[in-house]
Amino acid sequence: MTDPLHSELLDLAREAAHRAGALLRDGRPADLAVAATKSSPIDVVTEMDIAAEKLITGMIADQRPDDGLLGEEGASTEGTSGVRWVIDPLDGTVNYLYGLPTWAVSIAAEQDGETVVGVVAAPMRGETYHAVRGSGAWATGAWDGERRLACRTAPPLDQALVSTGFNYVTEVRAHQADVAQKLIPLLRDIRRGGSAAVDLCDVAAGRLDGYYERGLNAWDLAAGDLIAREAGALTGGRPGERPSRDLAVAGTPGVFEPLQRLLEDFGAWHD
């Protein structure tokens, strides 16, 4: 039986993600422009990122005012309840800026430092993914209702389809390209979707065999990592470590381990 608190957190996360996703999908201005930059001139924030985070944090503050908040666009509250929300209001901002469909709203809830609820809404796919720790991972689609997610049976590594992402700092991105060049001959192929949250959900849904990236933040990872794990995938960072800014890896059992070893050997975690 699901903990009543976790059910409450899931309901709130799903509603907030749905509303923010609708705002982003339906409210995108034709003349959308960059509002700010972060790590480099190509690491952008739009006015819609800011509006979506304000909507989500406002809903949470109204319903659970004692909870903590950590949001990509600046929301930061300690809280006193033992619950903290980790929010990426628009994961895949560059895709969104260019009108590409691979972007998502990612909301996770932590209890005493452990992620217990994750929701990723991908409005342009018509899908929302969610998980509660210990209760499996699920997807709700506009066309096929709700279904339980399960990662793929592992193929041999040379038949694995793996996704990755690239940093917006030029020197880091160049090193990541070197790592990808070494990996490509050893895999079926590499994809670059542009949203870490969606990539992790695609591992959960059996659409990818693996995923890795360096330089992710907590808000990029929290919800998608839980969804992938609850679908049977393995996740981690460098061998023996949890996912971190150094490295995040996810994969179906049988792909995760050799992929992680190769990334370690190729130095994917440093410049």
Side-chain angles (χ1 to χ4, degrees):
M1 180 180 295
T2 303
D3 184 316
L5 173 61
H6 296 172
S7 294
E8 177 187 343
L9 299 177
L10 175 63
D11 289 346
L12 179 52
R14 292 180 72 175
E15 179 65 18
H18 173 76
R19 291 192 189 182
L23 171 69
L24 291 164
R25 181 193 62 216
D26 301 335
R28 183 184 183 279
D31 59 347
L32 180 67
V34 173
T37 59
K38 293 182 282 189
S39 63
S40 78
I42 54 174
D43 186 6
V44 301
V45 180
T46 72
E47 62 192 90
M48 298 303 291
D49 295 68
I50 298 165
E53 182 162 299
K54 184 177 180 180
L55 184 155
I56 295 165
T57 57
M59 286 184 64
I60 293 170
D62 285 345
Q63 296 190 38
R64 295 189 54 86
D66 297 326
D67 291 354
L69 294 167
L70 176 65
E72 180 174 17
E73 306 313 332
S76 181
T77 305
E78 286 297 321
T80 58
S81 67
V83 172
R84 183 177 76 155
W85 297 86
V86 184
I87 302 158
D88 191 337
L90 177 47
D91 188 56
T93 297
V94 172
N95 283 349
Y96 183 80
L97 179 66
Y98 277 78
L100 293 168
T102 305
W103 54 268
V105 179
S106 176
I107 303 175
E110 298 174 342
Q111 183 179 20
D112 301 324
E114 294 292 330
T115 305
V116 294
V117 165
V119 173
V120 174
M124 304 308 290
R125 286 185 169 190
E127 291 184 325
T128 299
Y129 316 89
H130 70 269
V132 174
R133 188 176 65 183
S135 298
W138 304 81
T140 304
W143 305 280
D144 56 0
E146 187 170 77
R147 67 189 189 279
R148 187 159 190 164
L149 298 177
C151 63
R152 285 166 51 89
T153 301
L157 189 64
D158 64 0
Q159 297 177 33
L161 183 64
V162 173
S163 186
T164 191
F166 296 102
N167 199 278
Y168 289 113
V169 176
T170 301
E171 295 79 7
V172 177
R173 187 168 49 179
H175 175 68
Q176 290 171 318
D178 289 340
V179 172
Q181 183 178 31
K182 294 174 183 176
L183 275 176
I184 285 172
L186 307 176
L187 306 171
R188 181 187 295 276
D189 206 351
I190 283 183
R191 295 288 182 265
R192 197 279 198 250
S195 165
V198 172
D199 282 345
L200 287 163
C201 291
D202 279 345
V203 172
R207 294 167 177 161
L208 292 168
D209 299 301
Y211 163 74
Y212 75 94
E213 191 165 348
R214 180 193 166 200
L216 297 179
N217 294 290
W219 47 77
D220 300 306
L221 280 167
D225 180 80
L226 178 66
I227 292 165
R229 286 189 283 110
E230 287 294 325
L234 301 176
T235 70
R238 298 184 65 191
E241 297 182 3
R242 299 176 68 170
S244 70
R245 282 191 59 82
D246 284 343
L247 186 64
V249 187
T252 187
V255 168
F256 173 84
E257 299 92 338
L259 177 61
Q260 186 186 49
R261 287 196 299 269
L262 285 172
L263 292 167
E264 180 71 9
D265 291 345
F266 296 157
W269 45 273
H270 65 75
D271 297 338

